[in-house]
Amino acid sequence: CKTADICDDYASEVQICQLDLRSYGKKRRFFGKIETVQVFEDNVLFEEALESVPEGSVIVVNGGGSRNCALMGDRLAGIAVSRKLAGVIINGCIRDSADIASMDVGVLALGTNPLKSKKNGIGERDVSFTFGNVHWKPGDYVYADEDGVIVALEKLV
């Protein structure tokens, strides 16, 4: 279902992400239940989430908007594909974008950076946070397509 159609039917019930995210994965449209990770230039907890969240989930990573390094590359995207996740939304950067473009998963991020992240395991999982004028909460639903990203408290379609 298109985000525009959802907004037509449920405008008062959705939040619209104001962050200018670019699509990098093969899947341009995806939706699912939100799982959250909050990190800064460190992707250890993100990788743990990729390996443990339920199939069909969308992992939302608040990387603080950092463009200093990538929080995901082709290896982590491969985990998302193999575990049948719907997608990943990153308030930060990715790398290996040419490889990720051919992978059957939704990937939204601010941009790219070839440098890998730190591996200290610092951050939090299953927490609420705000970016892009949206309050991201574990268990809410996110819908993404070519027109944007919207969040609802419950499954709308």
Side-chain angles (χ1 to χ4, degrees):
C1 193
K2 295 184 347 189
T3 56
D5 293 342
I6 295 170
C7 285
D8 288 349
D9 296 338
Y10 301 99
S12 63
E13 297 168 49
V14 298
Q15 301 175 77
I16 299 168
C17 184
Q18 305 294 327
L19 202 57
D20 192 18
L21 296 165
R22 291 187 51 197
S23 180
Y24 292 97
K26 189 173 167 184
K27 266 192 201 168
R28 296 291 196 194
R29 296 179 178 186
F30 60 93
F31 77 94
K33 193 177 259 191
I34 294 172
E35 298 282 344
T36 63
V37 180
Q38 182 150 301
V39 294
F40 188 75
E41 299 177 5
D42 183 322
N43 72 355
V44 172
L45 293 181
F46 175 31
E47 182 171 358
E48 287 175 8
L50 284 165
E51 292 170 346
S52 61
V53 301
E55 185 177 307
S57 298
V58 175
I59 299 179
V60 179
V61 182
N62 186 9
S66 172
R67 294 178 177 265
N68 296 329
C69 64
L71 292 175
M72 183 172 82
D74 57 353
R75 188 177 66 80
L76 294 195
I79 296 170
V81 172
S82 69
R83 298 221 42 258
K84 297 181 173 65
L85 301 186
V88 176
I89 298 172
I90 303 172
N91 182 17
C93 291
I94 65 153
R95 66 185 198 166
D96 303 316
S97 60
D99 298 313
I100 290 172
S102 67
M103 300 173 109
D104 195 27
V105 64
V107 177
L108 297 176
L110 293 177
T112 59
N113 185 315
L115 182 68
K116 69 180 178 183
S117 74
K118 298 179 192 118
K119 310 287 183 217
N120 298 322
I122 297 168
E124 294 178 282
R125 280 184 60 186
D126 305 317
V127 292
S128 297
F129 44 73
T130 302
F131 68 78
N133 211 29
V134 168
H135 186 65
W136 303 89
K137 271 191 351 243
D140 285 0
Y141 283 82
V142 62
Y143 301 84
D145 67 10
E146 301 86 347
D147 291 332
V149 178
I150 59 176
V151 174
L153 296 176
E154 57 197 35
K155 193 172 181 180
L156 297 176
V157 291

